[in-house]
Amino acid sequence: GQQLNQSPQSMFIQEGEDVSMNCTSSSIFNTWLWYKQDPGEGPVLLIALYKAGELTSNGRLTAQFGITRKDSFLNISASIPSDVGIYFCACQNYGGSQGNLIFGKGTKLSVKP
Amino acid sequence: EAQVTQNPRYLITVTGKKLTVTCSQNMNHEYMSWYRQDPGLGLRQIYYSMNVEVTDKGDVPEGYKVSRKEKRNFPLILESPSPNQTSLYFCASSLSSPPGTGELFFGEGSRLTVL
């Protein structure tokens, strides 16, 4: 099946540092999404991107939908301890018959106070 | 409170002993799905359901069954569990079917260990 390449797999950073992670695909998608999974919980949607080139912010988080529709990045500025968790990118071609979101393998973020 | 509820949250069982993980949502969502999460493999879809009595295989359906007799419930059945089904399982739902905006609401997860 289709796969997303998400990198890095893990990051260990100091509080206050900026973070960048990205996701690439060999296929074109209509929608790119970023989810965060806090320890011991289910993933929660952070940002949704629906248009190639779109740049969207949510507080300290910024994500962009690549112009080729095959990639996306997520940046976190001035990280804080509660940013710890696993970040997943996900893709979808909405309107398709299958209804599947395809998830990346995740980026595990650790923040040292 | 709007939520997706899974039970049990934790279970240790033995090979071959049938088990069911229940999932219920109170948001009147049409779309429901099951995922398993394994280290280094991310979230992989097991089965999904577009509506009542409509289910379909995801990427890793082997060894699992599901049913969607009511809109709110989507149980995951392991008829004869094996150790390779030891995993963290998530149920998720979405208002639209397929999830047009991409927003899935996830349960808190069920950690299953098969000995």
Side-chain angles (χ1 to χ4, degrees), chain B residues 9 23 28 39 51 67 72 89 115:
Chain B
R9 293 288 313 280
C23 175
N28 201 36
N51 211 326
S67 67
R72 63 182 293 129
Y89 291 88
L115 301 176

Side-chain angles (χ1 to χ4, degrees), chain B residues 18-22 34 46-47 61 63-67 69 74-81 85:
Chain B
K18 180 179 177 180
L19 68 94
T20 299
V21 186
T22 64
W34 276 103
I46 303 170
Y47 270 94
Y64 304 96
K65 284 174 56 177
V66 293
S67 67
K69 294 188 172 65
F74 190 44
L76 179 70
I77 303 155
L78 285 73
E79 293 272 3
S80 183
Q85 292 179 297

Side-chain angles (χ1 to χ4, degrees), chain A residues 1 9 31 33 35 37 40-45 48 50 86 88 92 94-101 103-106, chain B residues 9-10 31 35 37 40-45 48 50 57-59 88 90 98-109:
Chain A
Q9 277 191 329
T31 303
L33 308 136
Y35 281 79
Q37 182 182 21
E41 298 185 14
V44 173
L45 182 66
Y50 303 112
I86 302 176
F88 291 101
Q92 182 187 35
Y94 60 81
S97 59
Q98 281 201 327
N100 290 346
L101 265 69
F103 283 88
K105 294 181 180 180
Chain B
R9 293 288 313 280
Y10 302 92
Y31 179 91
Y35 293 86
Q37 183 178 12
L41 297 178
L43 292 162
R44 294 182 293 167
Q45 191 176 44
Y48 63 97
M50 296 275 209
K57 296 177 180 178
D59 296 319
L88 178 58
F90 286 102
T101 63
E103 180 160 19
L104 289 176
F105 293 85
F106 284 83
E108 292 184 306

